[in-house]
Amino acid sequence: MPTYNTSPGTRDILAPESARWRAFQQVFADIVERAGFGHIIPPMFEDLGVFLRVGETTEIVTKEMYDFDDKGGRRIALRPEQTASVCRAFVEHRPVTPWKVWYAGPNFRYEKPQQGRYRQFDQVGVEVLGIDDPQLDAEVIALAVDFYRRLGLHGIRLSLNSLGDSGDRDRYATALRAHFTSHLDALSTESRATLERNPLRVLDSKRPEDAPLIAAAPRMADHLTDAAATHFAAVQSALRAAGVDFVIDDRLVRGLDYYRRTTFEFVATSLTAAHTAIGGGGRYDGLVADLGGPETPGIGFALGLDRTLLACDAEGVFAAPTSAVDAFIVDVTGGEQAAQLCTQLRAAGFGVDRAYDSRSMKSQMKVADRSGARVAIIIGEDEVAANTVTVRTMESGSQQLVSRGELVERLKTVLGR
Ligand code: HAM
């Protein structure tokens, strides 16, 4: 018989790591729901056209899309991200603005798998549509910072840039093209190919031979309109007022084409591998109109769950939650007592598990140990005869005989409830 493993770039997330994922999403939901965001669950696949708006020149669109014809002949793609889906949903449902939504879930990009880079990866994120107030930019960024703090992370660097309005970006692209073209010989082969497609992305090159030319390249800051420059200055002062530390990085262009004005990225300084960007976002004021809706400003971010948890591992914070099982029942009288007690104690609000198949005391105790329960409830013939149970505290090994009628109260005391 053939056997199968997960496809490259995908993983099974098993307990207790899966409980950590849920806790991660729960912490995020708590923060953003208190800030007035509603949960949106967009579909995991859509018409390919929705995602082409992410940028026809980006690798996400040209190389990494999971697209296919479905049985009805539609060109479908698994979502590579969720911002475009949120904007499509906005155009479809026309909610009142400001529309503030958050999401959590998997995305798909056909990338070369590595530590921290997967073909199926999870994000949590927010989007706000309909507001172009720079105070909102700062508030959105501060939400992400707050979230990292709640996870216990300290080593996070926030880089900030403005890509200006669409005209600014085009003028800047022209200036960059002229700069790099006049020094074409000094540019790496890869960056020459990138230059053809999108001169801004050359700034992303990490190749040492490109570094001097990139350092000497024109600056985005010199190509901003007054309106975009004023907006950017206001975002910075609102961030300072909120006590959020940041560095200006005018080489930050991000991997998606829809950005306008404010862009930002969070880097985990604890990670040494190539993939240290654990989250990013920005304004995409033209995207809703590109998808056939009215001119509508938008801003948001997405934080990579997989990579952020690697940063948590590196800092030794946000461990997997402890077992949800409070008590484990060891019944060496056949198992009926265990069945009754499970029902009774679960109804009373305890997390309870048990062993099966009339195993020996020793083997049941082993399972109890593995379960992570703080207490074992042991039932032997003597206990049945006396209508009692033995309550064993796993950590100390101390045991007490408790009458069945007092068990619930005793458990509450032992578990500190
Ligand atoms: P992005 O920078 O493409 O932005 O992705 C955001 C985060 O998702 C990255 O910083 C990274 O942590 C994680 N990520 C991306 N690709 C992978 C991968 N292959 N494996 C593991 N993690 C990955 C966006 O997706 C935008 N939609 C963000 C946004 C929201 N902009 C405005 N609103």
Side-chain angles (χ1 to χ4, degrees):
M1 284 293 271
T3 58
Y4 300 99
N5 292 332
T6 50
S7 296
T10 69
R11 299 168 299 154
D12 294 316
I13 308 300
L14 308 178
E17 185 67 4
S18 48
R20 196 183 185 205
W21 280 43
R22 271 206 321 280
F24 183 98
Q25 292 166 344
Q26 192 56 54
V27 171
F28 187 75
D30 282 350
I31 290 179
V32 294
E33 293 213 333
R34 280 159 190 265
F37 288 76
H39 190 192
I40 179 171
I41 309 176
M44 286 191 210
F45 60 85
E46 304 222 20
D47 193 294
L48 172 68
V50 172
F51 303 119
L52 295 182
R53 272 43 184 205
V54 164
E56 309 257 4
T57 65
T58 64
E59 297 209 327
I60 294 176
V61 168
T62 55
K63 291 193 186 151
E64 298 170 1
M65 198 74 82
Y66 275 92
D67 55 335
F68 55 94
D69 290 325
D70 75 3
K71 291 183 172 44
R74 300 170 197 90
R75 194 72 192 159
I76 297 293
L78 303 185
R79 66 181 182 208
E81 57 112 51
Q82 295 172 64
T83 311
S85 296
V86 167
C87 291
R88 190 268 313 137
F90 179 82
V91 177
E92 187 168 336
H93 305 290
R94 295 296 168 94
V96 287
T97 56
W99 198 44
K100 299 169 68 175
V101 297
W102 72 272
Y103 50 80
N107 310 282
F108 307 87
R109 297 182 192 174
Y110 194 79
E111 298 200 71
K112 197 163 166 230
Q114 286 176 4
Q115 165 89 323
R117 190 163 75 187
Y118 310 100
R119 290 182 175 166
Q120 176 176 331
F121 60 95
D122 258 58
Q123 290 178 337
V124 293
V126 300
E127 311 293 347
V128 183
L129 292 171
I131 304 286
D132 58 17
D133 188 333
Q135 287 198 5
L136 173 66
D137 304 29
E139 187 184 336
V140 161
I141 292 171
L143 279 176
V145 171
D146 191 24
F147 174 63
Y148 290 134
R149 214 171 279 147
R150 284 273 289 277
L151 294 181
L153 286 170
H154 293 288
I156 305 289
R157 194 179 62 233
L158 164 62
S159 300
L160 191 67
N161 193 17
S162 173
L163 291 177
D165 292 312
S166 67
D168 305 353
R169 204 179 147 128
D170 292 347
R171 282 188 300 120
Y172 183 50
T174 306
L176 279 180
R177 192 185 298 281
H179 167 75
F180 289 122
T181 307
S182 65
H183 302 88
L184 213 51
D185 292 348
L187 212 56
S188 66
T189 323
E190 292 76 11
S191 288
R192 266 181 252 164
T194 311
L195 180 62
E196 290 275 307
R197 291 195 305 273
N198 183 349
L200 264 70
R201 298 308 307 277
V202 177
L203 299 177
D204 257 355
S205 164
K206 303 281 180 288
R207 293 176 189 279
E209 63 266 44
D210 294 332
L213 266 192
I214 290 176
R219 308 250 147 208
M220 184 72 230
D222 301 326
H223 292 78
L224 296 183
T225 53
D226 287 347
T230 306
H231 184 99
F232 192 36
V235 173
Q236 294 175 49
S237 65
L239 281 174
R240 280 189 206 100
V244 173
D245 292 333
F246 59 90
V247 290
I248 302 287
D249 177 359
D250 64 2
R251 297 299 190 230
L252 176 70
V253 289
R254 310 250 319 117
L256 305 107
D257 277 355
Y258 50 58
Y259 289 113
R260 304 268 180 274
R261 299 197 170 191
T262 315
T263 50
F264 52 93
E265 205 154 80
F266 296 100
V267 166
T269 53
S270 58
L271 293 179
T272 45
H275 304 295
T276 56
I278 58 170
R283 281 205 165 268
Y284 43 87
D285 293 345
L287 186 55
V288 169
D290 270 357
L291 285 162
E295 278 297 339
T296 309
I299 181 168
F301 63 69
L303 314 179
L305 178 151
D306 314 67
R307 273 186 211 171
T308 306
L309 287 180
L310 288 176
C312 290
D313 291 342
E315 289 198 30
V317 298
F318 200 68
T322 47
S323 169
V325 176
D326 302 308
F328 193 95
I329 303 173
V330 172
D331 175 1
V332 289
T333 69
E336 275 171 31
Q337 300 289 326
Q340 277 173 21
L341 256 192
C342 268
T343 309
Q344 184 203 341
L345 294 178
R346 284 177 191 158
F350 297 103
V352 183
D353 198 3
R354 56 164 290 191
Y356 298 92
D357 293 340
S358 309
R359 299 256 173 91
S360 70
M361 167 77 98
K362 194 172 162 201
S363 97
Q364 290 195 39
M365 282 307 293
K366 257 195 198 155
V367 189
D369 225 15
R370 265 207 313 268
S371 75
R374 286 166 58 197
V375 165
I377 299 171
I378 302 164
I379 307 167
E381 298 298 346
D382 291 352
E383 281 88 349
V384 175
N387 202 24
T388 57
V389 296
T390 296
V391 173
R392 179 185 172 94
T393 308
M394 299 302 277
E395 200 177 46
S396 65
S398 68
Q399 299 198 161
Q400 288 173 312
L401 211 56
V402 178
S403 80
R404 290 282 284 259
E406 286 169 2
L407 180 58
V408 166
E409 285 313 310
R410 182 59 61 88
L411 275 182
K412 282 186 186 161
T413 313
V414 174
L415 295 167
R417 299 267 168 89

